[in-house]
Amino acid sequence: MATTTSYAGYLKSNLRDYGMLISLVVIMGLFQYLTDGTLMEPLNLTNLVLQNSYIVIMALGMLLVIVAGHIDLSVGSVVGFVGALAAVLMVQFEMHFVPATLICLAAGAAIGAAQGFFVAFFSIPSFIVTLAGMLVFKGLSLALLQGQSVGPFPHVFQLLSSGFIPDWLHGERLRLTSLLLGGVVAALLLWTKWRERVQQAQHGIEDEPLPFFLGKNLVFVALILGFCALLASYKGLPNVLVVMALLMLFYDFVTRRTTLGRRIYALGGNEKAARLSGIKTQWLSFYTFVNMGVLAAVAGLVFAARLNTATPKAGTGFELDVIAACFIGGASASGGVGKVLGAVIGALVMGVMNNGMSILGIGIDYQQVIKGLVLLAAVCVDVYNRNKA
């Protein structure tokens, strides 16, 4: 009875984390049934990755901004501006894609620094600063492109979003290299989590019960292996998926294992207490916006490479999906709470919903209604849990 009670208590206190994973599995199962199996077909899964890669990338940066107690409404316009800048450099000026890419990333960092400067050092609410940024960079995108679409991009640059990992093992029916890579990632994940659990046990840190630990991680391993097997039966792992995975691992490490990550959570939890403890809160807020600008630039390059052209309307509405992904993934609207894995799961939930509703023929009008209700429900759950605590 004591064991059952402790399990129930642990599940109750960590319902947010397990609930998101369960919700993702349920939503995928629901749309798999409603679409008669179309959702999980290899071609559709590949499209799902390509269509949502830039949302996942920006959600990683937006998570840190939200955890720090701020918001960034300009990311969609920054995506469009960076795509326009890349088109002007690569197509009109015929610049090599490597220096052009570096210039675009530097532009993203400069945009984040400019907005972060006003938020951090002038104490102007981030909502106002980034709302202004949304208008400014939307206008600059129109000015750069002169109201027209510019393209196509060089073929090598297009591979960032449309290319796939070569199959060096030359499988006949399956892309064995992609399948092997998925197996290695799954094994590393399981080994890393087990090693972390052992280290926590050695230091006497209370950890999750073994059945929960095994169940959660085996579900992740099964999802990774199944996902890679399905993609391997088509063209293999997309290049952009590798970029996403590396960014996810990096930001997960930063938020959970570094002093910088812990300070960002402290800043969002209680800014005054963090400042009194010696944390340079102004610079910390500034850095989160710089980081957001760089990731928005990466997303802009990925999106432009996928479309193979830059358009004046690129990035419209992206900020809504990115912010929704973070809140649905468990980030708190009041700051100080949120995990990288949650933001990724939130982005996948949004992506699966968008893709599944499109397959079912649901119009964009009702898609927006449904996504809005899901976002509202996620924030209501967060407020309820915070008030209950």
Side-chain angles (χ1 to χ4, degrees), residues 186-379:
L188 284 175
L189 173 67
L190 201 57
W191 177 78
T192 302
K193 292 297 183 181
W194 180 258
R195 182 168 174 267
E196 181 180 327
R197 179 183 175 85
V198 170
Q199 289 178 343
Q200 289 178 340
Q202 289 176 347
H203 290 86
I205 301 175
E206 184 179 357
D207 201 7
E208 61 185 328
L210 184 60
F212 287 102
F213 172 82
L214 292 176
K216 181 179 70 176
N217 287 286
L218 289 178
V219 166
F220 277 121
V221 168
L223 287 175
I224 292 173
L225 292 177
F227 183 71
C228 291
L230 288 170
L231 292 182
S233 66
Y234 179 53
K235 291 185 178 181
L237 300 179
N239 292 336
V240 71
L241 181 61
V242 178
V243 175
M244 286 167 48
L246 293 176
L247 287 173
M248 287 161 53
L249 291 174
F250 173 75
Y251 282 95
D252 183 65
F253 174 79
V254 168
T255 55
R256 297 196 308 116
R257 294 286 188 169
T258 67
T259 302
L260 177 64
R262 290 191 289 271
R263 286 179 175 177
I264 291 175
Y265 282 92
L267 168 63
N270 190 321
E271 191 271 341
K272 184 177 181 180
R275 186 174 65 255
L276 292 175
S277 66
I279 296 175
K280 297 179 179 180
T281 55
Q282 291 179 320
W283 282 105
L284 206 55
S285 295
F286 175 78
Y287 292 144
T288 60
F289 278 94
V290 173
N291 175 72
M292 183 72 257
V294 172
L295 288 181
V298 173
L301 293 171
V302 170
F303 186 66
R306 177 172 174 264
L307 290 185
N308 196 23
T309 186
T311 66
K313 292 186 177 181
T316 302
F318 282 8
E319 62 279 347
L320 301 179
D321 283 342
V322 173
I323 294 170
C326 292
F327 286 142
I328 292 172
S332 174
S334 58
V337 176
K339 293 183 179 180
V340 167
L341 181 59
V344 173
I345 291 177
L348 292 177
V349 168
M350 294 292 292
V352 170
M353 289 175 57
N354 287 333
N355 188 269
M357 289 188 290
S358 297
I359 294 174
L360 292 173
I362 298 175
I364 188 66
D365 45 1
Y366 288 106
Q367 288 188 32
Q368 297 295 336
V369 171
I370 293 172
K371 289 193 295 183
L373 293 175
V374 171
L375 173 59
L376 180 61
V379 176

Side-chain angles (χ1 to χ4, degrees), residues 68-87:
H70 303 293
I71 199 74
D72 191 342
L73 301 177
S74 69
V75 291
S77 296
V78 174
V79 165
F81 173 75
V82 169
L85 179 61

Side-chain angles (χ1 to χ4, degrees), residues 13-17 20 59-70 255 261-270 323 325-343 378 381-383 385-387 389:
S13 60
N14 293 270
L15 188 59
R16 183 196 298 259
D17 297 336
M20 281 312 308
L60 298 174
M62 186 65 74
L63 174 69
L64 297 185
V65 172
I66 291 174
V67 166
H70 303 293
T255 55
R262 290 191 289 271
R263 286 179 175 177
I264 291 175
Y265 282 92
L267 168 63
N270 190 321
I323 294 170
C326 292
F327 286 142
I328 292 172
S332 174
S334 58
V337 176
K339 293 183 179 180
V340 167
L341 181 59
V381 169
D382 169 59
V383 173
N385 288 333
R386 189 169 66 250
N387 291 338

